[in-house]
């Protein structure tokens, strides 16, 4: 029975670990559980600058709404190239699935973010495209067309200086099966297409779909012997990407025809096909089930395009490994030619059966999203592997992954939480956590404390930012605390709100052994002064201390620094208690009490310093090697 119980306990712990240890948690953002990363560097010095942009989700279809409390996990996220969280965007759309999340540089001089917000569980909303500024404020939303399915998850491509956007569309169509040699039969199909819309007005500027343009026999999913289907029918082309060149023509990927098409921006006709059953090119390579086709360059007769060659789907595989292909197309010759100028295989030699993306970076590197578990890689221009990363969790994927530079400046102040711990007045410690969700260029935090709510802030410490959330430990009981975010030039970017430190509701139950009234708030200026004096004393005596330590014949009695700290604590308690009394009395009594308190405090400090000056003692070795206490009496200078 014991071994069975142990096995059950181990299994329970394993399940708990599997469902929690792969997520980050934060004191300042307890509602967010962002995903952890596993990162492997092969040549970190050659990585391009920038951040990772991912949108993890558990499943494509949205969950049914619930009244249960749920922490934020799915949605848009930004990480640095160490896997450190920069921005958790899941709260922006309340844990909705988000797709195609990326930085946008062609709107104006400021960076933007764009993404697709998924549809509602009950189809009450079809989803939409969103554009967010560098303050993480939604500036534009582009809604789905009324006569199509939901706003399609595959593409939201900002064009023309931010004036227009490209998006994929799906709609249901009843068609005749004459192309399959069955002219008396009909079947429903899902027609794939795209639109270009005016972002400001949502007006459709150009619309195209595969109905009467791409025949059924081009599909690799359905065949002449398949039975007719009811609505929504056969997904016979499955569009998953669209791009546009300066000439105004559109490049699209139809996954279920294994073909990339160029569509005329003038009349919507197919200009050429690359791949599939009816390729117009002479080519020495194959590809299938592709994703994320994009123009790299285009000048009318010569084009360079990139795409992810999945080479597989849920049904099987056409090649042993997925890859990214850069293809050079020459349309000025007959027959037109297509050749591979760069191939980058998936680093783990695996297959990406669904989703994925590939983007060249400004320095020539290539960043690739292999989708499942967020698996991503960065390569040098020659294809050499520089880095791989994936989610620590196997429960999440991201449709695409991007890398790019971005400057985030949230308008909301940094989040700060402080707590105090200790068992008596002399060992009180205040622990402060601070973060600023979305700020990209914080390099340092400065922490301040105040003796009371309207007191003068006192700098109690400075620490470099190394993670999403920074922790600072302060001596004493700091009641009112705040923090400043500092950039690389030393400028103050923003300041948190002044927060009161959280404390146990029952100090006795928490182990308090001090006075019955509980701990007293400290005056930070006195604590800082005491610490500074202790530090300077320690520095001035460091050489002497080292010599005494090396000389094993000497010992040190007492702890002068601890005594100073305790005295400072007592002074702080007296000052704070005086302040509490002062706040409730009239102006005259205020003056009397304040003068008395300051006078008493000054006298106490003078006595303390004088006692330290005249009463210092140390152990010195005697002739017998035993310590003899010697007190220097300045009243008898001859002794």
């Amino acid at each position: 029975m014991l071994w069975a119980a142990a096995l059950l306990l181990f299994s329970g712990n394993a399940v708990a670990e599997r469902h929690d240890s792969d997520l980050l948690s934060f004191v300042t953002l307890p509602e967010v559980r962002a995903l952890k990363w596993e990162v492997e560097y092969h040549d970190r010095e050659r990585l391009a600058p920038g951040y990772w942009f991912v949108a993890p989700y558990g499943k494509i279809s949205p969950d049914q709404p619930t009244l249960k409390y749920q922490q934020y996990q799915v949605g848009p996220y930004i990480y640095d190239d160490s896997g450190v969280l920069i921005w958790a965007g899941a709260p922006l759309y309340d844990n909705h699935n988000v797709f195609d999340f990326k930085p946008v540089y062609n709107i104006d001089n400021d960076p933007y973010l764009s993404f697709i917000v998924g549809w509602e569980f009950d189809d009450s909303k079809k989803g939409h495209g969103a554009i967010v500024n560098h303050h993480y404020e939604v500036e534009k939303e582009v809604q789905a067309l009324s006569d199509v399915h939901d706003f399609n998850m595959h593409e939201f491509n900002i064009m023309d200086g931010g004036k227009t956007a490209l998006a994929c569309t799906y709609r249901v169509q009843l068609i005749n099966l004459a192309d399959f040699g069955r002219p008396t039969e009909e079947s429903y199909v899902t027609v794939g297409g795209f639109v270009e819309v005016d972002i400001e007005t949502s007006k459709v500027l150009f619309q195209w779909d595969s109905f009467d343009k791409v025949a059924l026999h081009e599909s690799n999913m359905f065949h002449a012997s398949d039975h007719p289907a009811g609505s929504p029918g056969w997904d016979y082309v499955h569009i998953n990407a669209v791009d546009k060149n300066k000439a105004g023509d559109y490049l699209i990927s139809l996954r279920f025809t294994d073909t990339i098409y160029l569509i005329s921006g003038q009349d919507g006709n197919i200009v050429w096909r690359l791949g599939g059953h009816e390729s117009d090119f002479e080519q020495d390579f194959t590809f299938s089930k592709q994703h994320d086709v994009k123009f790299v360059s285009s000048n009318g007769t010569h084009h360079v395009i990139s795409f992810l060659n999945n080479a597989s789907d849920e049904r099987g595989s056409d090649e042993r490994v997925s890859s990214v292909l850069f293809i050079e197309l020459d349309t000025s010759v007959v027959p037109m030619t297509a050749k591979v100028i760069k191939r980058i295989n998936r680093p783990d030699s695996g297959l990406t059966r669904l989703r994925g993306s590939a983007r060249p970076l400004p320095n020539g590197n290539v960043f690739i999203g292999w989708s499942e578990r967020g698996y991503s890689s960065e390569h040098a221009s020659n294809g050499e592997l520089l880095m791989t990363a994936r989610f620590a969790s196997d429960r999440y994927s991201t449709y695409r992954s991007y890398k790019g530079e971005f400057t985030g400046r949230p308008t909301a102040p940094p989040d700060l939480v402080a707590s105090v711990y200790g068992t008596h007045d002399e060992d009180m410690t205040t622990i402060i956590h601070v973060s600023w969700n979305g700020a990209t260029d914080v390099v340092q935090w400065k922490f301040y404390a105040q003796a009371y709510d309207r007191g003068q802030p006192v700098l109690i410490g400075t620490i470099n930012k190394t993670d999403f959330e920074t922790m600072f430990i302060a001596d004493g009981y700091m009641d009112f605390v705040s923090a400043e975010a500092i950039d690389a030039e030393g400028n103050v970017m923003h300041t948190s709100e002044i927060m009161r430190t959280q404390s146990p509701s029952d100090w006795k139950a928490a182990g308090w052994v001090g006075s019955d009234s509980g701990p007293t708030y400290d005056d930070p200026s006195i604590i800082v002064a005491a610490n500074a004096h202790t530090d300077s004393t320690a520095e001035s005596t460091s050489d002497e201390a080292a010599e005494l330590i090396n000389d094993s014949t000497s010992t040190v009695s007492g702890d002068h620094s601890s005594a100073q700290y305790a005295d400072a604590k007592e002074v702080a308690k007296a000052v704070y208690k005086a302040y509490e009394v002062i706040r409730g009395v009239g102006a005259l009594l205020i003056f009397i009490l304040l003068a008395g308190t300051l006078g008493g405090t000054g006298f106490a400090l003078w006595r303390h310093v004088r006692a330290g000056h005249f009463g210092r003692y140390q152990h010195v070795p005697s002739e017998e090697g035993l310590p003899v206490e010697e007190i220097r009496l300045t009243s008898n200078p001859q002794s």
Side-chain angles (χ1 to χ4, degrees), residues 520 569-579 597 601:
T520 304
K569 293 276 290 184
E570 290 302 316
V571 172
K573 290 172 64 175
V575 171
Y576 192 85
K577 288 180 178 179
Y579 167 74
T597 301
T601 300

Side-chain angles (χ1 to χ4, degrees), residues 467-481:
D467 209 331
F468 177 80
E469 184 172 76
T470 300
M471 182 178 72
F472 178 74
I473 301 175
D475 289 334
Y477 189 167
M478 303 291 106
D479 189 24
F480 295 89
V481 294

Side-chain angles (χ1 to χ4, degrees), residues 102-162:
K102 59 181 177 290
V104 179
Y105 306 110
N106 63 348
I107 295 180
D108 54 35
N109 294 329
D110 292 323
Y112 287 80
L113 303 171
S114 70
F115 49 86
I116 299 165
V117 180
W119 57 96
E120 295 284 353
F121 172 81
D122 59 358
D123 286 332
S124 58
K125 294 182 180 179
K126 294 185 175 184
H128 61 272
I131 298 175
V132 174
N133 62 29
H134 70 290
H135 299 304
Y136 303 100
E137 300 166 335
V138 178
E139 289 209 350
K140 302 290 181 183
E141 291 185 345
V142 178
Q143 303 300 324
L145 301 180
S146 59
D147 63 339
V148 301
H149 280 312
D150 312 309
F151 196 105
N152 189 260
M153 60 174 282
H154 292 99
E155 189 82 75
F156 185 53
N157 195 350
I158 308 300
M159 308 297 296
D160 193 25

